[in-house]
Amino acid sequence: MEFYTCQYCYKEFDPKRRRVQKYCSNSCRSKAHHARKKTETKLPTVSDSETKTEVATLPTKPEKTTVDSMSLAGTGNAAAGSLLADTIKAAFTPLNNKPATKGDLENLKKQILTRYYKINNLAPRHDGALPYFDMDTGDVIYFFSVGVGY
């Protein structure tokens, strides 16, 4: 395995593309581009009757950017903002649009198991739906699911 050296941050990296890579990441490539654009300013100099332009070159070792460290205040602000956003979202979301929880699904399962009972001595419908007795309404209804009421 051959490692290359990034031309911006000078770290060794494993190339991900087939051709020779100059930079270890897109951020280093972008930073190098901006550094070149910043230093390639044209400086006009006047001598006799002709105008010359000089192009500044990229420094051999560009300055490394500082990485912001995580602070307790920043973490607290992020947590407070997230909590506030969730509270506002919960307050303005109608009840019928809120997502179902595991508890809601368990209650629904319990209600189905205690409300509907399979009728064993009645033949299935022509499309294969099985007959069930609804304890609340006293009606016979047909479901395609197998196992409800057992």
Side-chain angles (χ1 to χ4, degrees):
M1 179 178 294
E2 184 178 342
F3 287 102
Y4 295 139
T5 303
C6 178
Q7 291 184 5
Y8 183 76
C9 67
Y10 299 100
K11 291 182 184 175
E12 287 191 350
F13 66 96
D14 182 23
K16 303 291 184 220
R17 296 181 195 95
R18 289 179 184 223
R19 294 185 183 151
V20 178
Q21 277 180 255
K22 294 181 181 180
Y23 306 104
C24 62
S25 64
N26 283 335
S27 62
C28 279
R29 181 183 53 79
S30 177
K31 288 176 185 177
H33 171 76
H34 290 297
R36 278 194 311 273
K37 285 295 182 186
K38 188 176 182 182
T39 57
E40 286 180 357
T41 57
K42 294 185 178 182
L43 305 171
T45 58
V46 179
S47 65
D48 294 337
S49 64
E50 57 187 67
T51 304
K52 294 182 180 178
T53 57
E54 296 177 4
V55 177
T57 58
L58 183 66
T60 56
K61 271 202 167 187
E63 297 176 14
K64 288 189 177 182
T65 57
T66 59
V67 177
D68 294 334
S69 60
M70 190 181 336
S71 67
L72 187 60
T75 306
N77 288 339
S82 178
L83 183 63
L84 180 66
D86 288 344
T87 303
I88 291 172
K89 184 171 70 172
F92 291 110
T93 303
L95 185 61
N96 59 347
N97 288 342
K98 290 188 179 181
T101 63
K102 287 183 181 179
D104 294 337
L105 296 176
E106 287 295 323
N107 288 339
L108 183 63
K109 182 179 174 184
K110 192 183 302 181
Q111 181 181 1
I112 288 175
L113 291 177
T114 58
R115 180 173 175 179
Y116 303 106
Y117 290 97
K118 186 172 187 263
I119 302 173
N120 292 325
N121 60 354
L122 191 60
R125 204 169 50 191
H126 63 86
D127 58 358
L130 300 175
Y132 290 89
F133 182 75
D134 186 354
M135 295 298 283
D136 290 348
T137 63
D139 294 331
V140 174
I141 56 174
Y142 287 85
F143 286 135
F144 285 102
S145 62
V146 179
V148 177
Y150 285 119

